[in-house]
């Protein structure tokens, strides 16, 4: 009998090869020939799994999005007694890819983001990934607001728009990924920015006293 091929497993193997090459060279350095060599399969095997390079890249981006989504979901279920606000912090940390062990994945993610600006299929896939994450953030913020309201929380927390705040948090988390990768911020600084934003969701920062004649100490 001819040996049966695990088609789905081979596609995942090829996607992992794409990620390793993209981490080393960026997506412009990813060729079908190099992917086949890195995955230790034939060119024909790659072409049987994917009709075009773009199809291969779309599948790889879907795999990355699923991996990040799985980590977010895992953080939400590992401590079912945690508050929605705490769960939101864990989820945002996973999405921002700030931990050292996720640095290679962050480089690959941003390479795909850049390529999506000129590739409609990649842009559609990326938009779907962001939509799923935003929906998760929206649900957690809404749950946290309900909990705050029930506990007699501040007017600021109770008046939050969960969908707007979810968009803001997702954009912040994504931006912090880039700032850390290019060295503008260190990971600890990025964590501080993220933690400060999350804390500010529930408590309005105290306003500085108004000085009609200028800042304190001026004449």
């Amino acid at each position: 009998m001819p040996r049966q091929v695990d088609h789905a497993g081979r596609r995942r193997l090829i996607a992992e090869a794409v990620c390793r090459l993209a981490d080393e060279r960026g997506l412009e350095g990813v060729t079908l020939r190099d992917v086949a060599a890195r995955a230790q399969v034939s060119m024909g095997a790659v072409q049987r799994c994917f009709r075009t390079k773009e199809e291969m890249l779309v599948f790889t981006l879907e795999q990355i999005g699923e991996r990040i989504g799985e980590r977010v979901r895992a953080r939400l279920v590992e401590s079912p007694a945690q508050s929605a606000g705490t769960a939101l912090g864990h989820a945002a940390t996973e999405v921002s890819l700030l931990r050292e062990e996720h640095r290679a994945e962050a480089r690959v993610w941003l390479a795909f983001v850049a390529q999506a600006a000129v590739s409609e299929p990649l842009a559609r896939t990326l938009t779907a990934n962001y939509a799923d994450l935003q929906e998760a953030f929206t649900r957690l913020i809404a749950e946290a607001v309900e909990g705050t309201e029930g506990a007699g929380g501040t007017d600021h927390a109770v008046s939050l728009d969960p969908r707007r705040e979810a968009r803001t948090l997702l954009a912040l988390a994504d931006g912090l990924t880039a700032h850390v990768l290019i060295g503008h911020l260190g990971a600890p600084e990025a964590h501080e920015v993220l933690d400060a934003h999350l804390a500010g969701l529930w408590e309005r920062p105290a306003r500085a006293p108004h000085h009609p004649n200028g800042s304190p100490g001026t004449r």
Side-chain angles (χ1 to χ4, degrees), residues 12-95:
R12 290 192 295 270
L13 177 68
I14 291 170
E16 285 301 319
V18 171
C19 287
R20 291 196 297 272
L21 289 169
D23 181 33
E24 296 169 8
R25 314 174 185 176
L27 287 182
E28 66 276 4
V30 174
T31 67
L32 293 179
R33 185 176 303 280
D34 288 342
V35 168
R38 185 61 62 95
Q40 297 185 324
V41 298
S42 67
M43 276 280 290
V46 175
Q47 292 168 329
R48 283 191 292 275
C49 288
F50 303 103
R51 291 168 296 178
T52 64
K53 176 181 176 179
E54 189 164 59
E55 184 180 308
M56 180 179 69
L57 294 181
V58 166
F59 177 79
T60 301
L61 179 56
E62 290 172 345
Q63 292 291 293
I64 298 170
E66 287 178 12
R67 191 158 59 233
I68 295 172
E70 286 171 3
R71 289 204 302 270
V72 169
R73 289 189 291 274
R75 292 296 297 270
L76 298 183
V77 301
E78 67 184 11
S79 300
Q82 65 187 336
S83 69
T86 299
L88 178 66
H90 290 326
T93 299
E94 290 296 341
V95 170

Side-chain angles (χ1 to χ4, degrees), residues 109-139:
W109 177 261
L110 288 188
F112 273 98
V113 171
Q115 188 66 25
V118 293
S119 167
E120 186 176 341
L122 286 177
R124 285 198 302 268
T125 303
L126 194 60
T127 298
N129 286 337
Y130 281 139
D132 289 342
L133 292 171
Q134 182 177 307
E135 192 59 36
F137 283 1
T138 300
R139 177 175 56 81

